[in-house]
Amino acid sequence: MLDIKFIKENKEIVEAAIKNKNREVNLDELLTLSEQRKTLKQEIDDLNKKRNDAARARDIEAGTQLKREADILETEFAEVDKKFIAMMAKVPNIPSIDTPIAPDESGNKVIRQWGTIPEFNFKAVEHDELGRHLGIIDTDTAGVVSGSRFAYIKGDLALLQFALIQFCLNVLTNKEKLEEIAKKANLDINVSSFVPIIPPVFIKPAVQNRMARYMTPEEHYMFPNDDLMLIGSAEHTLGPIYMDKIIEEKDLPIRMLGYSTAFRREAGSHGKDTKGIIRQHQFDKLEMEVFSIPENSMQEQDFLVAIQEYVIQQLNIPYQVLLICTGDMGFPDYRQIDIEMWMPGQSNYRETHSADLTTSFQSRRLNTRVRRADGKIEPVHMNDATLVAIGRMLVAIIENYQNEDGSVRIPEVLQPYMGGKKVIVKQ
RNA sequence: GGAUGGAUGGCUGAGUGGUCUAAAGCAACAGUCUUGAAAACUGUCACCUGGGCAACUGGGUCGUGAGUUCGAAUCUCACUCCAUCCGCCA
């Protein structure tokens, strides 16, 4: 949610943001509602003053009359307020100055590429074929037991998942390593180790709503009997940790690393990525979440991207970094940076990471604030970013590390976490 | 699932219809004293929102939402969460 004052004072900027993000909101109507709301509130306040005076004076007759008047005004206010809130929720965050303006993903800008695209002297195959051959991915049985877009991850691939997690935890809790990463990225920030968190995977819909993500119930698994839903990302339950709280400036930044399963209905993606485990209803993910003071939030995002890149470089897989354009970026995002990793089986880069800087857009709705050193209170800035979407990372690893005989080498940095094993062979 | 108790500011906690404009303590911050610190003393110290350059001032907030009343932290109803016990359970 944006600040109504900001909207009032920067109508053109907000209008452009709505247009560039392919949304529709009538700002004039919104501003009119805001004025109506304010006027009504003022009238109610004045009336309440009189009511308080009457109550103190024990003037029962005047009080009765004033109460009747107040009831009418309050009903009117409730209606206007409801419309106002609903409309405010439709206004997206404004994009950063460096965000490319374009209607769809074709406007995303590649800002850097890393690694050399591997040349195979045989025909590289896709992960589902490799996985089936090696007996480490079983979507057929999962299809029978649970339906499409589910899989059994087995044997060495299951071990590889835990190796990845362990490797990442070691990096993100190692302050010296993180300092190195920040320094290499030319970032002037106060580095601290991330707090590892295993968050709940269920969330109350009302809280999810306050994360100000523009989402439909079709995207999530809902449990109306229990007033709960499954999260689509650890971010959903990490973000509200400081809901309705004031954080002291000296305690920022707060950097968290969540590990959880993510659940997605993929309602709108029929026929897309139906093979293998690229697009699943259920996958595990390491997710970073950072709360910071406003003036540092862009650097924090750059830091998160630098960490993402470090991990991929350690795995030695080619990737490209994209600045996402207005038409493709998230509703609450001020700046979105994605990473696409090279998938030899598809001869294509595929999206594996996303880093969202939402500035104060989510925190305003969550009511998470910072008390600055000078005592002023303002919304904190929030960043969230994928560290590893494990399913897709496993895909990238086995496709990039495949051999002609269908076996798969294990990336060097992960070998210590796999008991020294170097190759996955048919099981 | 059953039973009982509870939710008040950063924390502890008093408050059972109108002097609550929420006691007191702790913590924090500032000052005095001190070479410095501690202690002591003095002061400040919740949040949202309207008006005002400001001093200041109006309204709202005692888990959430509705209700009763001229008047609600206090009474009623619903909900959420927490604690303890019983049952079940990894």
Side-chain angles (χ1 to χ4, degrees):
Chain A
M1 199 163 59
L2 287 177
D3 182 359
I4 184 65
K5 271 189 214 144
F6 178 86
I7 298 177
K8 209 173 286 179
E9 287 159 17
N10 300 277
K11 209 179 143 203
E12 289 78 24
I13 294 175
V14 177
E15 220 140 48
I18 292 168
K19 183 171 160 281
N20 293 332
K21 282 188 156 184
N22 303 329
R23 306 275 165 184
E24 275 195 38
V25 185
N26 187 334
L27 274 195
D28 290 321
E29 201 184 326
L30 178 65
L31 292 176
T32 306
L33 275 174
S34 166
E35 282 309 308
Q36 280 177 8
R37 188 178 171 279
K38 198 166 146 186
T39 309
L40 279 169
K41 182 68 167 59
Q42 194 57 55
E43 286 173 23
I44 290 172
D45 284 355
D46 293 345
L47 208 53
N48 280 344
K49 164 94 171 93
K50 287 186 198 155
R51 287 179 76 185
N52 288 340
D53 290 343
R56 262 176 222 126
R58 318 262 166 116
D59 184 342
I60 295 174
E61 200 175 317
T64 310
Q65 179 58 30
L66 288 165
K67 192 185 175 183
R68 247 177 245 136
E69 289 175 39
D71 281 348
I72 297 167
L73 277 180
E74 268 162 20
T75 308
E76 206 177 326
F77 177 81
E79 266 170 48
V80 172
D81 192 50
K82 197 178 157 194
K83 278 191 215 162
F84 173 72
I85 303 271
M87 220 163 169
M88 280 295 279
K90 287 183 178 171
V91 181
N93 199 359
I94 57 160
S96 64
I97 300 167
D98 56 351
T99 295
I101 296 169
D104 55 49
E105 70 272 9
S106 63
N108 295 340
K109 198 172 131 197
V110 176
I111 50 177
R112 59 183 167 270
Q113 291 184 312
W114 184 91
T116 318
I117 289 172
E119 299 275 349
F120 294 92
N121 50 15
F122 57 94
K123 171 141 178 42
V125 299
E126 291 196 44
H127 75 281
D128 61 300
E129 195 177 326
L130 284 164
R132 187 184 308 259
H133 164 74
L134 292 171
I136 54 176
I137 298 175
D138 181 357
T139 49
D140 294 341
T141 308
V144 174
V145 175
S146 306
S148 65
R149 296 201 192 287
F150 287 100
Y152 289 93
I153 309 285
K154 295 162 67 182
D156 284 339
L157 195 59
L159 293 179
L160 199 62
Q161 160 150 347
F162 292 106
L164 261 175
I165 296 164
Q166 204 52 53
F167 168 68
C168 288
L169 282 170
N170 282 353
V171 173
L172 284 257
T173 55
N174 182 335
K175 197 172 168 215
E176 287 74 37
K177 182 63 76 187
L178 292 170
E179 265 161 3
E180 223 172 84
I181 294 169
K183 197 178 163 200
K184 207 179 148 203
N186 284 316
L187 296 172
D188 179 28
I189 53 166
N190 217 341
V191 171
S192 59
S193 116
F194 283 67
V195 181
I197 298 181
I198 301 169
V201 294
F202 279 96
I203 187 169
K204 297 180 197 176
V207 176
Q208 159 78 316
N209 200 25
R210 286 179 64 179
M211 284 294 283
R213 293 233 162 244
Y214 199 84
M215 39 197 10
T216 60
E218 290 81 51
E219 293 174 54
H220 292 275
Y221 291 99
M222 309 296 292
F223 297 79
N225 289 347
D226 301 290
D227 191 32
L228 287 170
M229 63 197 282
L230 281 170
I231 58 171
S233 166
E235 182 227 343
H236 296 159
T237 38
L238 290 176
I241 286 180
Y242 295 97
M243 187 166 72
D244 295 320
K245 294 262 189 287
I246 297 171
I247 305 169
E248 301 298 327
E249 178 171 347
K250 66 177 168 48
D251 296 327
L252 291 176
I254 294 171
R255 300 189 177 99
M256 306 185 283
L257 174 62
Y259 171 70
S260 86
T261 305
F263 300 90
R264 300 185 180 182
R265 290 190 71 229
E266 296 292 349
S269 36
H270 292 294
K272 219 195 244 175
D273 301 315
T274 49
K275 283 191 292 183
I277 59 168
I278 276 268
R279 193 175 294 274
Q280 295 275 285
H281 287 312
Q282 171 198 328
F283 62 96
D284 299 319
K285 191 152 66 78
L286 285 158
E287 176 90 1
M288 301 177 281
E289 178 85 27
V290 174
F291 295 84
S292 72
I293 53 172
E295 56 269 36
N296 287 353
S297 62
M298 264 189 137
Q299 289 230 44
E300 286 295 334
Q301 188 186 32
D302 292 336
F303 183 40
L304 296 180
V305 174
I307 295 169
Q308 292 172 332
E309 291 188 63
Y310 172 82
V311 168
I312 304 171
Q313 287 175 16
Q314 290 298 299
L315 294 168
N316 197 25
I317 295 173
Y319 65 87
Q320 58 185 16
V321 183
L322 281 79
L323 197 52
I324 301 303
C325 74
T326 53
D328 195 30
M329 75 195 301
F331 178 78
D333 290 343
Y334 174 74
R335 191 172 69 168
Q336 180 180 346
I337 297 170
D338 279 9
I339 291 180
E340 298 180 340
M341 292 174 69
W342 180 254
M343 306 283 182
Q346 299 189 16
S347 284
N348 214 343
Y349 286 102
R350 291 299 309 257
E351 182 191 331
T352 52
H353 296 65
S354 190
D356 304 315
L357 166 55
T358 62
T359 57
S360 59
F361 194 81
Q362 291 183 303
S363 59
R364 189 169 293 108
R365 191 72 176 274
L366 287 165
N367 196 26
T368 299
R369 291 165 292 165
V370 51
R371 193 193 318 272
R372 303 301 302 257
D374 64 6
K376 286 218 179 67
I377 290 170
E378 60 181 326
V380 289
H381 275 205
M382 290 168 65
N383 264 290
D384 64 90
T386 322
L387 180 61
V388 177
I390 294 171
R392 288 194 182 180
M393 184 60 89
L394 294 177
V395 170
I397 291 172
I398 62 180
E399 287 197 8
N400 280 278
Y401 281 84
Q402 62 181 293
N403 295 322
E404 188 166 12
D405 63 2
S407 63
V408 167
R409 282 165 286 125
I410 291 165
E412 216 169 291
V413 288
L414 298 184
Q415 289 173 10
Y417 304 102
M418 298 273 296
K421 185 175 275 205
K422 291 186 168 58
V423 185
I424 301 175
V425 295
K426 190 166 176 174
Q427 304 175 348

